[in-house]
């Protein structure tokens, strides 16, 4: 079986692809990675062009609407442009921790004001003695992600 195009690969059932030689699968994967890299580069380049073309106009319209961030719409000829400038808030964790301590010290419940999320560094957890791990193990759930496979030639 010779697969020449991405459409041919997609039209081939995965169980048939799995029967191909490892070398051929590696070549197909390499080709797909190259196409993906190219598509990402083209997309990034076009996004830069759109930013050059529309960012100033979007900012002027956003300010006129009294907004620093968010979505605005405008037309450029027959094209409707939707420009989004997302709001990304970053909270200083040390300062929030101090505020939470002050709220607690005053007798109030900090959970009414802030979301508190605990996490344990997995590397540190693995280095703990068993006596400490056992106190935390009930709160720990291991989940796995999607498996991935890398292919490389063993001989050139």
């Amino acid at each position: 079986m010779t697969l020449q195009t991405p459409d041919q690969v997609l039209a081939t059932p995965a169980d048939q692809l799995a029967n191909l030689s490892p070398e051929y699968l590696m070549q197909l994967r390499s080709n797909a990675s190259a196409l993906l890299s190219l598509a990402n580069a083209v997309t990034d380049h076009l996004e830069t062009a759109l930013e050059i073309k529309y960012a100033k106009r979007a900012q002027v319209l956003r300010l006129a609407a009294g907004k620093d961030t968010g979505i605005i719409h405008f037309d450029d000829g027959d094209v409707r442009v939707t420009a989004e400038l997302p709001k990304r808030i970053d909270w200083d964790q040390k300062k929030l921790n101090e505020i939470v301590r002050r709220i607690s010290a005053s007798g109030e419940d900090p959970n009414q004001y802030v979301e508190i999320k605990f996490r344990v560094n997995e590397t540190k957890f693995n280095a703990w003695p068993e006596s400490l791990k056992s106190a935390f193990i009930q709160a720990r759930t291991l989940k796995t992600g999607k498996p991935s496979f890398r292919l490389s030639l063993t001989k050139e």
Side-chain angles (χ1 to χ4, degrees):
M1 175 185 317
T2 302
L3 304 171
Q4 302 286 329
T5 68
D7 288 336
Q8 289 173 326
V9 173
L10 289 172
T12 305
D15 61 340
Q16 288 181 24
L17 290 174
N19 289 327
L20 297 174
S21 73
E23 295 82 9
Y24 197 62
L25 282 171
M26 186 183 75
Q27 185 59 51
L28 290 173
R29 178 89 181 264
S30 178
N31 293 349
S33 292
L35 285 171
L36 182 60
S37 293
L38 179 61
N40 285 334
V42 169
T43 299
D44 289 347
H45 195 58
L46 290 171
E47 290 297 324
T48 300
L50 291 172
E51 186 174 346
I52 290 167
K53 185 172 185 78
Y54 295 123
K56 287 180 184 172
R57 184 171 175 190
Q59 183 63 19
V60 167
L61 292 171
R62 207 175 278 112
L63 289 175
K67 298 165 48 170
D68 292 325
T69 59
I71 297 173
I72 53 119
H73 307 277
F74 57 91
D75 294 331
D76 185 6
D78 292 336
V79 174
R80 181 73 167 171
V81 178
T82 300
E84 181 176 6
L85 184 60
K87 185 183 293 187
R88 295 182 62 179
I89 305 297
D90 208 14
W91 292 94
D92 184 306
Q93 296 301 299
K94 288 182 182 178
K95 290 179 182 175
L96 281 178
N97 193 29
E98 282 300 315
I99 293 168
V100 166
R101 283 189 193 150
R102 287 197 304 267
I103 292 171
S104 291
S106 72
E108 292 189 63
D109 180 8
N111 289 311
Q112 293 180 4
Y113 307 102
V114 297
E115 293 177 15
I116 300 172
K117 182 177 181 179
F118 298 103
R119 60 181 219 86
V120 175
N121 179 290
E122 187 68 10
T123 303
K124 290 179 181 178
F125 174 82
N126 288 328
W128 292 349
E130 289 302 319
S131 58
L132 182 57
K133 279 185 185 180
S134 65
F136 283 81
I137 200 73
Q138 298 172 25
R140 181 178 181 267
T141 301
L142 171 67
K143 296 180 181 178
T144 61
K146 184 178 178 185
S148 66
F149 304 92
R150 283 188 220 112
L151 305 174
S152 61
L153 292 175
T154 55
K155 302 177 209 171
E156 284 293 325

